[in-house]
Amino acid sequence: MRPLSELLQTDDFTRRHIGPTPEEQAAMLSELGYATLNALTEATVPAAILRHDPIQSGGPVTEAQAIADLKRVAQKNKVFRSYIGMGYSGTHTPPVILRNILENPGWYTAYTPYQAEIAQGRLEMLLNFQQVVMDMTGMDVANASLLDEATAAAEAMTLAKRSGRSKGDVLYVADDVHPQTLDVIRTRAEYFGYNIQTGPADGALPDGTFAALIQTPGTHGDLHDLTPIAERVHAAGAELIVATDLLAGALIKPPGECGADIVVGSAQRFGVPMGFGGPHAAFLACKDEYKRSMPGRVIGVSRDARGKTALRMAMQTREQHIRREKATSNICTAQALLANMAAAYAVWHGPEGIRTIAERVHLMTGMLYTALHQSGHSPDGFRTQETFFDTLTFAGDVDLVRARAEAKGINCRYQNDGRISISLDETVTLADLADIIEVITGEQADLAALETVAAHGIPADLQRTTSYLTHPVFSAHHSEHGMLRYLKGLENKDYSLTHGMIPLGSCTMKLNATTEMIPVTWPEFGTIHPFAPLDQTEGYAEMLTELEAWLADITGYDAVSMQPNSGAQGEYAGLLTIRKYHEARGEAHRNICLIPASAHGTNPASAAMMGMTVVVVKTDQGGNIDMADLKALAEKHSANLAALMITYPSTHGVFEENVREVCDLIHRHGGQVYMDGANMNAQVGVTSPGMIGSDVSHLNLHKTFAIPHGGGGPGMGPIGVKAHLAPYLPNHAVRPTSGSRTGAVSAAPYGSASILPISYLYIRLLGPAGMKAATQVAILSANYVAHHLQHAYPVLYTGPGGRVAHECILDIRPLKQATGITEEDIAKRLMDYGFHAPTMSFPVPGTLMIEPTESEPKAELDRFVTAMLGIRREIQEVQDGLLTATDSPLRHAPHTQDDLMTDTWDRAYSRETAAYPTRTQKQWKYWPSVNRVDNVFGDRNFVCSCPPTQEYADFEFAE
């Protein structure tokens, strides 16, 4: 019998996470000419940076043990009824949405919908989200989500400056904007050179004001009459930005009807748990004239090759990948999964349901208002205005109220000036309301009597009179069977990791294990307010402390900030930390950022947002940093050099041999090295940024550390830094996380905290050996694919010995020149073979970048190789003159059921070739729901609202 140490199966998760079996790994290694994973690693990773000591993370443990241990940690959080407000509200996630979106890998393992033909389901729900925002705000156009309300407000600030009329530099911020929003705006404004001034919402605008930011309902609950404010702001030549609440929009006049130019907010209370700060879908809506400048993704309506209505991400030329250092936003990921939940919440409840919830919340707030008046308390006693939607602020005995509230498990907002705020939400029951009244007044409430005399906090001239959510989708799915089938129908249109490999280079579409996902919906994590008292969040504190320590060890850094809630946000936070470091040393003039030509588009965009001047470093013929050019530029800009931004392994998919020399060179000239963490999946356990010599990195937890991509978010981008940068990490005005004077970069102190258990469990389950093995198999799988495809498609860049890192770039340009077949043709044809396309034309135009990850079984790798070789044979037919490119199945791809069901077939290839190019498709077939989408038509005929339902039914698109 085997020893007990083997039978305990503590490392069982590793074999479930890593796709190829040990026997398959041996066979793959043999084909490459290596005996072991270590041998391949030593031949691929430069010897000077190889890590020899194990990761200090503990583990591995079984899945059952990991869940039980984390549950004990979670139970250290105290689940109070939180009425703190400040943009975060209790909500009920409808179970049909919880189970079929949030807990459903068909939704959460999908990628950003760049390949529209296999993403029509989530594109439709994101279009619904835009329609919800447009309806509730009264604006012309909305994007498909941003990271949080505070960063949405910061994006609105730059949009107003870029698109508005004023040449001034002052942003006027009302003094009742949420404090975390003001904190983030101040941080963002500093390096754009904007001057932030605050005052009353109806106060006089300072000279040079380019925009005013007004919050209604305000952070204390007051409603503002936006119409005269808009008139005054516009008369001054400025733009009006309004931060608002979607649920309040059911009852109060929407900002768009009052003259607002830009509207921002959070959709959190539309069915998304508070989650200690996130993730939540923020929104930005604006006037039509700003649509081509607005940040974030916009879903638009177009048509496919058959004229059928089809959706796509519109106007992608606005994105930072294109604009680079000219960008004023570095947005890469959004909050697609949460936006889908919020849109589904609106679909489920419909206009009547949303209004019912809003009226209930407002009525109970009015009952509370009356109870306080009858008890002698004056709501918002330091103010005369008595308008409200869901929040009341009043003077009271803070110590007494706090003691009573804590005894009943209730959180209120206690302000520094002695006032108390209470924000009600849809979870409040009559029993809750009675408890709240007793906590404040010390008296038992007669709720029936209060209902008859409840105050109404919305004056007649501020009440909404227009309809909303009138599109049929918001009235069609109110039974659970109807909603279930609607969600399932959308899911079935989309390709996700439930269908097969998503080989996107630089995206790391690895396994998002079910065990890792389970804690996300635990109430101990999901219902915690981000500003709950510290003694109620001890479970979060313990998990965060341990996770930060693990990440610091993995990266070789000394400190970690968990605040950035996306990779691009992490880039921004890292460069902010560098700038603050230079300033503290009396070297604020250091503003030159060197960036290789191959860098991710967010790198130059992030540097530009930090007020840095971007200087591009050439790359050599091997795809590496051109050392001669780097040395010349470092010398030229030595006095003003702030940083170098590099990615490692490089964006070209190789471990550059001279990376330490690069870091040393920058340090000699007084700069700091920022290492982009996009390719960290090739480093964990075999090297580390700190070992290599960098000073700061962000980590894409939604890549390397198993947080799912969610169809375009959520993400997390914590940063690790060396000790000398630690004092300059982001802090937070509401809930300080350090003694740093650096401002906040996200609305919540720990970003999207409720998804951090995923990465925590990933590390705990794999343990040191498992994480190293995952990295090594990721490198093995990429080299295995490259080895099998190199004779059909040239591998553009390799390192010494012909090896690649964890991804490889296939050069399509010679085939394109010879045949006219493009990388897009290959990408679309892969859909017929049952695959998502690799990354197209990044970082090199005319190429495909493939990253198989460690999680794909060898059989899936072989299936992909078979597909790519099959496509190469189809290209050869064009090359040999048997078919023209126009007549080829590649040019008509992807093929749909509509194609096959036509009475006539006039193509130069068979129906079987079109839909079943290999035997695998006859056993199981994924069908794209639309043919190739017409991108040009969609941009020329820009529509970002829900089309008439009939267009989905009869497949016609009106010319």
Side-chain angles (χ1 to χ4, degrees), residues 30-368:
S30 178
E31 288 193 52
L32 298 174
Y34 299 97
T36 65
L37 285 173
N38 285 338
L40 172 62
T41 302
E42 290 166 5
T44 306
V45 183
I49 62 170
L50 272 174
R51 177 173 185 161
H52 299 289
D53 62 310
I55 295 169
Q56 301 299 311
S57 67
V61 297
T62 64
E63 293 176 70
Q65 185 65 53
I67 285 291
D69 290 347
L70 186 56
K71 188 68 172 179
R72 283 189 286 271
V73 172
Q75 288 172 340
K76 295 180 182 180
N77 293 328
K78 299 176 183 177
V79 181
F80 274 38
R81 292 171 285 176
S82 284
Y83 307 124
I84 298 171
M86 301 175 68
Y88 301 93
S89 301
T91 185
H92 293 305
T93 307
V96 68
I97 296 172
L98 178 73
R99 177 59 56 90
N100 293 288
I101 295 183
L102 182 58
E103 297 178 342
N104 183 352
W107 284 85
Y108 66 68
T109 69
Y111 186 64
T112 306
Y114 286 112
Q115 298 295 335
E117 295 83 0
I118 55 176
Q120 290 296 298
R122 61 189 182 280
L123 284 169
E124 180 174 333
M125 192 60 87
L126 289 172
L127 192 69
N128 291 345
F129 177 80
Q130 292 175 182
Q131 189 70 64
V132 170
V133 173
M134 291 160 62
D135 283 3
M136 303 313 289
T137 63
M139 300 303 290
D140 299 325
V141 60
N143 67 16
S145 80
L146 293 174
L147 296 173
D148 56 45
E149 182 173 333
T151 54
E155 296 288 350
M157 171 181 67
T158 56
L159 174 60
K161 178 61 177 174
R162 183 167 67 250
S163 303
R165 299 162 291 166
S166 173
K167 303 299 183 183
D169 65 356
V170 175
L171 175 71
Y172 183 78
V173 180
D175 53 16
D176 64 345
V177 165
H178 293 316
Q180 69 271 20
T181 299
L182 179 59
D183 193 9
V184 170
I185 284 176
R186 287 190 188 280
T187 304
R188 187 76 65 91
E190 180 178 359
Y191 294 102
F192 279 125
Y194 303 159
N195 178 9
I196 305 300
Q197 296 192 28
T198 61
D202 56 358
L205 299 181
D207 292 339
T209 296
F210 69 84
L213 171 61
I214 310 298
Q215 182 127 28
T216 188
T219 194
H220 307 300
D222 305 74
L223 304 183
H224 298 296
D225 187 349
L226 295 175
T227 300
I229 293 175
E231 291 172 353
R232 187 175 68 257
V233 169
H234 291 153
E239 310 302 300
L240 176 60
I241 305 167
V242 176
T244 194
D245 179 293
L246 287 185
L247 188 64
L251 301 183
I252 66 174
K253 185 184 294 186
E257 294 180 15
C258 303
D261 300 292
I262 307 168
V263 181
V264 298
S266 171
Q268 179 267 315
R269 71 188 306 170
F270 271 36
V272 181
M274 288 185 286
F276 202 42
H280 311 133
F283 61 84
L284 185 150
C286 62
K287 297 188 299 186
D288 183 75
E289 63 198 74
Y290 291 170
K291 66 187 177 187
R292 297 188 183 273
S293 297
M294 70 185 302
R297 295 177 180 138
V298 180
I299 309 307
V301 182
S302 187
R303 64 184 182 186
D304 73 358
R306 298 179 63 88
K308 177 180 176 180
T309 297
L311 310 178
R312 57 181 285 272
M313 293 204 305
M315 299 186 299
Q316 293 183 35
T317 53
R318 301 169 307 112
E319 295 200 7
Q320 33 67 28
H321 301 82
I322 306 296
R323 293 180 59 81
R324 296 177 71 84
E325 68 273 9
K326 296 180 181 179
T328 55
S329 172
N330 68 344
I331 290 171
C332 185
T333 194
Q335 300 286 22
L337 185 68
L338 300 314
N340 285 329
M341 288 179 64
Y345 179 94
V347 171
W348 174 245
H349 286 292
E352 289 303 316
I354 295 296
R355 185 172 184 88
T356 296
I357 294 169
E359 287 183 350
R360 182 173 73 245
V361 169
H362 183 63
L363 175 58
M364 287 189 172
T365 307
M367 293 166 66
L368 175 59

Side-chain angles (χ1 to χ4, degrees), residues 10-18 57-62 66 510-511 516 681 684 704-706 759-775 854-855:
T10 55
D11 61 351
D12 192 50
F13 180 79
T14 299
R15 72 177 179 87
R16 301 196 185 280
H17 175 80
I18 294 176
S57 67
V61 297
T62 64
K510 63 166 63 179
L511 171 71
E516 296 159 358
N681 209 49
V684 176
T704 309
F705 296 94
S759 297
Y760 179 93
L761 284 177
Y762 173 82
I763 296 172
R764 185 97 199 281
L765 286 165
L766 282 175
M771 280 189 285
K772 181 178 180 180
T775 300
E854 72 275 14
S855 299

Side-chain angles (χ1 to χ4, degrees), residues 80-83 92 364 368 408-410 422 424-440 445 447:
F80 274 38
R81 292 171 285 176
S82 284
Y83 307 124
H92 293 305
M364 287 189 172
L368 175 59
K408 284 186 174 289
I410 288 175
I422 298 281
L424 304 190
D425 56 57
E426 71 163 311
T427 70
V428 176
T429 65
L430 289 175
D432 294 328
L433 182 59
D435 283 345
I436 292 168
I437 293 171
E438 184 178 355
V439 160
I440 299 169
L447 296 181

Side-chain angles (χ1 to χ4, degrees), residues 633-958:
L633 290 173
E635 181 68 35
K636 177 181 178 181
H637 298 289
S638 182
N640 297 309
L641 182 60
L644 166 74
M645 298 185 80
I646 59 172
T647 303
Y648 200 76
S650 74
T651 314
H652 290 149
V654 295
F655 286 96
E656 296 187 45
E657 292 282 317
N658 57 7
V659 64
R660 273 195 168 168
E661 182 186 352
V662 167
C663 295
D664 291 342
L665 173 66
I666 298 304
H667 290 149
R668 286 199 302 272
H669 288 277
Q672 298 288 290
V673 177
Y674 182 97
M675 184 173 287
D676 191 306
N679 291 344
M680 193 68 194
N681 209 49
Q683 286 197 45
V684 176
V686 302
T687 185
S688 72
M691 267 187 69
I692 292 168
S694 68
D695 302 287
V696 54
S697 297
H698 83 269
L699 299 173
N700 294 98
L701 298 189
H702 51 288
K703 295 182 181 181
T704 309
F705 296 94
I707 290 176
H709 282 71
M716 271 294 281
I719 59 171
V721 297
K722 287 291 194 178
H724 64 282
L725 294 180
Y728 311 102
L729 287 170
N731 204 344
H732 199 277
V734 180
R735 179 57 50 80
T737 55
S738 69
S740 169
R741 294 183 179 179
T742 305
V745 298
S746 301
Y750 299 102
S752 296
S754 68
I755 55 175
L756 291 176
I758 301 169
S759 297
Y760 179 93
L761 284 177
Y762 173 82
I763 296 172
R764 185 97 199 281
L765 286 165
L766 282 175
M771 280 189 285
K772 181 178 180 180
T775 300
Q776 291 179 307
V777 175
I779 294 171
L780 170 63
S781 295
N783 279 281
Y784 178 80
V785 170
H787 173 74
H788 280 276
L789 295 180
Q790 62 184 340
H791 299 298
Y793 307 90
V795 176
L796 187 56
Y797 298 117
T798 60
R803 299 275 72 91
V804 298
H806 66 309
E807 59 192 7
C808 61
I809 298 176
L810 304 184
D811 193 354
I812 310 302
R813 292 172 297 182
L815 291 172
K816 185 176 182 178
Q817 185 174 5
T819 67
I821 296 297
T822 68
E823 65 277 7
E824 183 179 21
D825 293 331
I826 297 173
K828 304 306 182 185
R829 183 61 170 153
L830 272 169
M831 299 173 188
D832 293 329
Y833 282 82
F835 283 102
H836 192 290
T839 300
M840 289 196 308
S841 293
F842 174 82
V844 180
T847 64
L848 295 173
M849 183 161 60
I850 299 165
E851 182 183 357
T853 84
E854 72 275 14
S855 299
E856 294 302 336
K858 180 175 180 293
E860 187 72 353
L861 301 179
D862 290 338
R863 189 171 77 88
F864 179 73
V865 166
T866 298
M868 289 297 291
L869 294 179
I871 289 172
R872 182 62 183 87
R873 287 191 293 271
E874 294 174 351
I875 297 173
Q876 190 64 43
E877 291 181 349
V878 177
Q879 202 162 2
D880 293 342
L882 301 177
L883 288 174
T884 65
T886 303
D887 292 335
S888 167
L890 286 103
R891 185 57 49 84
H892 291 281
H895 297 84
T896 64
Q897 290 176 331
D898 292 339
D899 289 325
L900 268 67
M901 295 303 291
T902 55
D903 292 333
T904 59
W905 181 262
D906 57 1
R907 308 245 173 120
Y909 51 91
S910 69
R911 296 178 200 248
E912 183 174 16
T913 296
Y916 302 103
T918 69
R919 286 179 295 179
T920 302
Q921 281 76 55
K922 292 186 176 181
Q923 297 169 355
W924 179 87
K925 172 72 177 174
Y926 168 80
W927 289 98
S929 58
V930 297
N931 291 90
R932 194 175 303 194
V933 176
D934 189 335
N935 294 323
V936 174
F937 180 89
D939 280 351
R940 288 178 176 172
N941 301 272
F942 181 71
V943 177
C944 68
S945 56
C946 294
T949 305
Q950 189 60 31
E951 289 193 9
Y952 292 120
D954 61 18
F955 309 146
E956 295 296 330
F957 196 102

Side-chain angles (χ1 to χ4, degrees), residues 610-644:
M610 286 308 307
M612 294 180 172
T613 299
V614 174
V615 176
V616 178
V617 183
K618 297 175 183 177
T619 54
D620 62 23
Q621 289 186 342
N624 303 308
I625 293 174
D626 185 323
M627 285 302 297
D629 190 49
L630 180 64
K631 289 176 181 178
L633 290 173
E635 181 68 35
K636 177 181 178 181
H637 298 289
S638 182
N640 297 309
L641 182 60
L644 166 74

